[in-house]
Structures are given as C-alpha cells and as structure tokens.
C-alpha cells in the first residue's frame, strides 16, 4: 500500500475515532448531569416516568430525554467502533509495509 493511501486511511480512521470519543464523553457528561438533576421517583406532573439506571442509581426522565441520550450513546459507540476498525486496518497495512521495506533492505544489503 502506498504512503498516500496509508495517510488517507489514517486520516479517515481519526475522522471517525475522535468524534466518536467526543460523543462518548459528552454522553457521559449528560448522564452525570441527569444523575444530579433528575428525580429519583416518577413525577407524573412533569412526565418523568421513564427510568434510567446511571451508575446504580435510578432516575426518571421524559421519553424524549431518554430517546435523545440513547441516540447519542449508540451513535457515538457506532462511530467510534468504525474508527477503531479502520485504525486496526491501518495498523495492519502499515506493519505489512514496514515488513516489506525491511525485507527489501536486507535483500539489497546482501547484494552490496
């Protein structure tokens, strides 16, 4: 694989890894905020009837809050996993290219 292709693969991998990681951090911050501010018992007058377990503590939120946080968590994990997969492909290709260069160097030294 050519150096330009490896650089492109590395860039695309980081393009997925970093936003995925940022999304996971933001989701964790939202969960922590929910843990601090949401009621611990259902509150029908506020429509907070949907339970969410955060670090062993159950808080109650609206269906909309639950849906938004779940989408943020799952999409962040998906984007991160795609970046991780591309990163592993990059490392495999990069390692193969380095091994090929090392073999070529040994061969040219033997000739010289």
């Amino acid at each position: 694989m050519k150096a330009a292709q490896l650089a492109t693969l590395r860039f695309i991998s980081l393009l997925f890894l970093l936003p995925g990681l940022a999304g996971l951090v933001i989701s964790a911050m939202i969960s922590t905020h929910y843990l601090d501010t949401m009621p611990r018992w259902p509150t029908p007058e506020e429509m907070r009837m949907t339970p969410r377990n955060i670090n062993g503590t159950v808080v109650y939120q609206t269906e909309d809050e639950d849906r938004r946080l779940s989408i943020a968590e799952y999409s962040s994990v998906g984007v991160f996993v795609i970046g991780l997969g591309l990163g592993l492909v990059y490392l495999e290709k990069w390692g193969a290219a380095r091994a090929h260069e090392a073999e070529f160097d040994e061969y040219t030294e033997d000739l010289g």
Side-chain angles (χ1 to χ4, degrees), residues 34 47-50 52 59-63 65-66:
Y34 280 6
M47 299 301 292
R48 298 191 185 282
M49 302 291 291
T50 306
R52 177 176 288 269
V59 296
Y60 289 86
Q61 56 194 2
T62 65
E63 289 181 17
E65 291 166 338
D66 182 52

Side-chain angles (χ1 to χ4, degrees), residues 18-92:
L18 297 177
L21 186 60
L24 290 171
V25 169
I26 290 169
S27 296
M29 290 172 53
I30 292 171
S31 290
T32 303
H33 174 71
Y34 280 6
L35 185 60
D36 292 338
T37 60
M38 297 286 176
R40 305 283 196 266
W41 293 273
T43 311
E45 53 276 353
E46 296 178 9
M47 299 301 292
R48 298 191 185 282
M49 302 291 291
T50 306
R52 177 176 288 269
N53 186 343
I54 302 174
N55 295 331
T57 303
V58 177
V59 296
Y60 289 86
Q61 56 194 2
T62 65
E63 289 181 17
D64 188 47
E65 291 166 338
D66 182 52
R67 187 182 77 254
R68 284 186 293 172
L69 183 54
S70 294
I71 288 172
E73 289 172 343
Y74 293 137
S75 61
S76 296
V77 168
V79 169
F80 183 78
V81 167
I82 290 170
L84 187 62
L86 289 172
L88 291 173
V89 169
Y90 164 74
L91 288 175
E92 177 65 30

